[in-house]
Amino acid sequence: MADLKNVMHIVIGTDRNLDYILNREIIRYNFPNGLDLWLTAVYNGNMNNIASGCGENTFIRLEENNGYAYGALDSINEGLEFAQNAHRDIVVLTNFDGFFFSQTKYENLIDSFIDSGKPFAAGIHQSHEFPMSDLMIFKKEFLNEILPILPEVNEERKKNEFLQKEYKGTELGFDNVEEWVFNALTKVGNPDDLWWKFERDGHPRYRWTEKWAFGHLHEENMKREKISNYKTIKGHNIAKYMGIKIKHQEIEEIRRPDGTSFSV
């Protein structure tokens, strides 16, 4: 079984701050060994809107947000560069709204990654055939080879007529994080030799994969459904989000320094 003391779990985001709080509480309070994970947050949003220092081991703030995709790439590189110099051999990277609801299934994913013998893992998009960057896993030593991930697109992919049609009229075209990650793999070697393509369900949006109990969830009803189904309800903010009343238990006779006592 995977040793969570050897795993760094990185979450990145610029908004979705409530998701970050819920995500943190699921890992810390609902995974039996959630405290063993080294939880790193990389944030490039407004500091007035984020609750930090409440469960993560490391909080990294980027001063500048370079916009959609480019800002995400900055956060990915920053988080992975931190992991590169840390002491955990397995690095999981997802978004603030990338939720795992089961420690057992999380450990199954890590174990399957290790058993693959490959240094990188991500789901594969069935039509575009690139690695989905909303959930990636790295072996620490591989970070020395793949970093930094640059905003560069593989030239052969640019010639692909299917991709040209798919990207035509989109905001970013070929300039998206998935293409940049794929290109970074090609610069190291043959992607098929480096990349374990793990199961992701729900093409084309890939919101939920039961096998890993992982969801890239935007809809509030889906978050509440998964929290309820997996009973990941521990945590003050989760309880508030789910509308669960927190029972107040009176504590008797808290003793003051002067010897007197009071109850709460």
Side-chain angles (χ1 to χ4, degrees), residues 118-121 142 145 184-186 188-196:
K118 297 185 178 182
F120 170 76
F142 185 58
E145 300 181 68
L185 289 172
T186 65
V188 176
N190 184 338
D192 289 336
D193 296 333
L194 303 170
W195 174 15
W196 176 50

Side-chain angles (χ1 to χ4, degrees), residues 122-133:
I124 181 170
H125 195 281
Q126 291 177 24
S127 57
H128 291 58
E129 297 185 341
F130 53 39
M132 288 185 281
S133 64

Side-chain angles (χ1 to χ4, degrees), residues 1-10 33-39 83 86-92 106-107 110-111 113-114 137-141:
M1 188 60 70
D3 179 8
L4 298 190
K5 291 182 179 179
N6 198 32
V7 178
M8 177 177 292
H9 187 96
I10 302 173
N33 303 106
L35 290 173
D36 289 344
L37 284 168
W38 190 278
L39 181 57
H87 302 285
R88 303 220 168 186
D89 294 328
I90 303 297
V91 182
V92 177
Y106 182 89
E107 290 173 331
I110 300 299
D111 285 334
F113 169 57
I114 294 171
I137 313 175
F138 302 80
K139 289 185 178 178
K140 177 191 168 184
E141 63 267 22

Side-chain angles (χ1 to χ4, degrees), residues 5-6 9 37-38 42 60 90 100 139 144 157-159 166 170-171 177 194 199 206 232 247:
K5 291 182 179 179
N6 198 32
H9 187 96
L37 284 168
W38 190 278
V42 184
I60 301 170
I90 303 297
F100 284 94
K139 289 185 178 178
N144 295 324
R157 304 248 319 158
K158 287 183 179 180
K159 300 174 185 177
E166 286 291 297
T170 62
E171 181 180 356
V177 175
L194 303 170
E199 180 178 332
Y206 298 96
T232 53
K247 185 178 179 181

Side-chain angles (χ1 to χ4, degrees), residues 27 59 105 138 186-188 194 235-236 248 250:
I27 289 173
F59 186 91
K105 293 185 176 184
F138 302 80
T186 65
K187 290 165 71 174
V188 176
L194 303 170
H236 176 83
H248 173 70
E250 185 174 294

Side-chain angles (χ1 to χ4, degrees), residues 51-234:
S52 62
C54 302
E56 68 280 332
N57 297 95
T58 304
F59 186 91
I60 301 170
R61 195 237 172 165
L62 302 185
E63 293 292 331
E64 186 176 3
N65 186 332
N66 289 311
Y68 185 65
Y70 293 91
L73 182 64
D74 290 341
S75 295
I76 289 169
N77 278 322
E78 191 74 21
L80 293 179
E81 286 168 9
F82 177 78
Q84 184 180 17
N85 296 296
H87 302 285
R88 303 220 168 186
D89 294 328
I90 303 297
V91 182
V92 177
L93 188 146
T94 186
N95 301 336
F96 281 4
D97 55 3
F99 297 91
F100 284 94
F101 292 92
S102 164
Q103 177 178 311
T104 298
K105 293 185 176 184
Y106 182 89
E107 290 173 331
N108 289 343
L109 176 61
I110 300 299
D111 285 334
S112 298
F113 169 57
I114 294 171
D115 291 344
S116 76
K118 297 185 178 182
F120 170 76
I124 181 170
H125 195 281
Q126 291 177 24
S127 57
H128 291 58
E129 297 185 341
F130 53 39
M132 288 185 281
S133 64
D134 61 343
L135 175 59
M136 301 185 287
I137 313 175
F138 302 80
K139 289 185 178 178
K140 177 191 168 184
E141 63 267 22
F142 185 58
L143 299 177
N144 295 324
E145 300 181 68
I146 197 171
L147 292 180
I149 299 171
L150 300 175
E152 299 173 349
V153 180
N154 181 268
E155 290 300 323
E156 291 302 313
R157 304 248 319 158
K158 287 183 179 180
K159 300 174 185 177
N160 185 304
E161 292 185 3
F162 169 79
L163 293 178
Q164 290 174 2
K165 292 177 182 177
E166 286 291 297
Y167 287 137
K168 186 177 180 180
T170 62
E171 181 180 356
L172 296 172
F174 277 94
D175 290 312
N176 59 70
V177 175
E178 288 77 12
E179 290 291 350
W180 299 335
V181 171
F182 183 85
N183 185 63
L185 289 172
T186 65
K187 290 165 71 174
V188 176
N190 184 338
D192 289 336
D193 296 333
L194 303 170
W195 174 15
W196 176 50
K197 305 172 179 72
F198 59 75
E199 180 178 332
R200 291 287 300 275
D201 299 330
H203 177 77
R205 298 182 67 80
Y206 298 96
R207 290 301 186 209
W208 176 252
T209 302
E210 182 65 38
K211 184 174 184 177
W212 316 121
F214 174 79
H216 184 168
L217 305 180
H218 291 177
E219 297 80 7
E220 302 302 325
N221 63 322
M222 284 194 68
K223 296 172 200 171
R224 290 189 169 93
E225 175 189 320
K226 301 307 179 186
I227 289 172
S228 178
N229 290 349
Y230 279 92
K231 297 179 172 59
T232 53
I233 58 174
K234 296 178 182 176

